[in-house]
Each structure stands twice: as C-alpha cells, then as structure tokens.
Amino acid sequence: QQQVRQSPQSLTVWEGETAILNCSYEDSTFDYFPWYHQFPGESPALLIAIRPVSNKKEDGRFTIFFNKREKKFSLHIADSQPGDSATYFCAASDSGGSNYKLTFGKGTLLTVTP
Amino acid sequence: DPKIIQKPKYLVAVTGSEKILICEQYLGHNAMYWYRQSAKKPLEFMFSYSYQKLMDNQTASSRFQPQSSKKNHLDLQITALKPDDSATYFCASSRQSYEQYFGPGTRLTVL
C-alpha cells in the first residue's frame, strides 16, 4: 500500500529558528514531492515541490532536501515567523501514472513562538 | 477572483439524504480531483478526472459519484448520507500531472 509517513506530529520552534519537518515514502515510482500548508479554516495551499532530478529545492526561506536512496525528504523553514504557524502536509505522486493521485502524510502542526 | 469555486461552503444534511457538492475551476486545467479531510483521515484522495474522463476512484462506496458536465466542472453526488461522511470535501485541479491547487472546500455535516 502506498504510504507517506510524516514526523513529527507537532513541532514548536522559537521565532528565528529553523523548523525541520520530515517525510518518508515507500513507493519507488513516486517522483513528485510537494509540500502544502494549511491554516485553520482554509484549504491546503501549495508551498514548494521537488522532483528527484535534484536533491534540493529552495524558495525563499523554504527548502526541500531529498534523499532518493533513503526515500526521505524534508522541509526546512529558515528564520521561522509566527505567521508560519500552520499544519504542513507532505505528499507524493507518480507523475507518470494514470491517476495523478497525491498521497498525503498525516501532517505536522507547526507553532512558531514569538 | 477565486479560481476554484466550491458550493456550498457549509452543508448540513440528515442521515439517508442525498447532496451534490459543486466544483468549478477557472485555471484552464484539464485534470480535476476530489479529496476528503476529516479528523480521522486527513487529506484522503477520492477521485481524479482528466479531460472529463474518470482516471481513478479510490472510494470504497458507490454512494459517491463524481459528475462532469463541462470540462471545468466536477461535482460530487453523495447518496444515502451517513454521519461518518461528515468531513470537508476539497476539489482540486491541475494541468496534467503537475501542481494541484485546492478549492476552499465544502464542510459537510451529517446529522
């Protein structure tokens, strides 16, 4: 069964610190790995994504690190701000597959304390 | 202007009834999806459509039926509603297998 595992379930960091959120997957056919964040009462919003042609993707304060051999990827949020407090979901899909399905992790609730 | 419209935002139904959740996207995408989110199962894939054709159905029940009358529409009909169907239902869309964008959701409560 395709699974994406996410940890930790919750994370609290101080403002200015780097938050690190982790995911792992099992299906070797997965080749697209997005991260979404979701604020209370809102829908998931695409934050950043990586395809494993590279092992790192940066967008401002957000960086994805990808390890194909270990089937792991992580989101680093540098200089965390209180406004970053949200639930973060990692996901994975097989872009060459026929259904474009995203398989999501269970989420990490990030709290950034001022 | 919202690019993905879902109607209604909130929906209360009684057990055994039938409801239709509406989704329209104005992003020019060819693929559309339904996902469900509840306290028990966060962000669960339900259906995917591409060019108005069903690509995948991961729901275990035939009570959930997607309907695509236009290429930018993908509605979700749910029959014989159960309290366990209570969740937020998100429509999403993408250009083929690329980034998926989510609509605002319909929060369904079944009494």
Side-chain angles (χ1 to χ4, degrees), chain B residues 22-105:
Chain B
I22 304 295
C23 177
E24 306 169 17
Q25 59 91 3
Y26 297 94
L27 294 165
H29 291 163
N30 61 282
M32 295 185 70
Y33 315 83
W34 280 100
Y35 289 84
R36 175 170 54 192
Q37 185 176 43
S38 66
K40 296 179 183 178
K41 292 185 179 181
L43 284 170
E44 177 187 22
F45 173 88
M46 300 179 71
F47 299 96
S48 58
Y49 266 67
S50 179
Y51 295 104
Q52 290 188 270
K53 292 184 178 179
L54 178 67
M55 293 196 295
D56 196 9
N57 175 356
Q58 299 261 322
T59 61
S61 172
S62 60
R63 296 187 299 108
F64 296 86
Q65 291 293 328
Q67 301 170 345
S68 182
S69 59
K70 300 179 185 178
K71 65 178 181 179
N72 67 326
H73 283 230
L74 185 63
D75 300 335
L76 180 63
Q77 179 184 38
I78 314 175
T79 58
L81 279 160
K82 302 177 180 180
D84 224 25
D85 297 330
S86 297
T88 300
Y89 291 80
F90 290 106
C91 174
S93 71
S94 71
R95 180 172 63 88
Q96 295 179 318
S97 63
Y98 296 100
E99 292 80 5
Q100 293 186 22
Y101 295 92
F102 283 71

Side-chain angles (χ1 to χ4, degrees), chain A residues 32 36 38 41-46 49 51 89 93-96 98-107, chain B residues 9 30-31 33 35 37 42-43 45 48 50 55-56 58 90 94 96-104 107:
Chain A
Y32 172 67
Y36 286 78
Q38 186 177 28
E42 297 186 8
S43 57
L46 180 64
R51 296 182 187 272
F89 294 95
S93 76
D94 171 9
S95 64
S98 60
N99 62 9
Y100 306 162
K101 167 189 172 183
L102 280 176
T103 300
F104 282 89
K106 293 185 177 181
Chain B
K9 186 172 178 62
N30 61 282
Y33 315 83
Y35 289 84
Q37 185 176 43
L43 284 170
F45 173 88
S48 58
S50 179
M55 293 196 295
D56 196 9
Q58 299 261 322
F90 290 106
S94 71
Q96 295 179 318
S97 63
Y98 296 100
E99 292 80 5
Q100 293 186 22
Y101 295 92
F102 283 71
R107 181 178 291 183

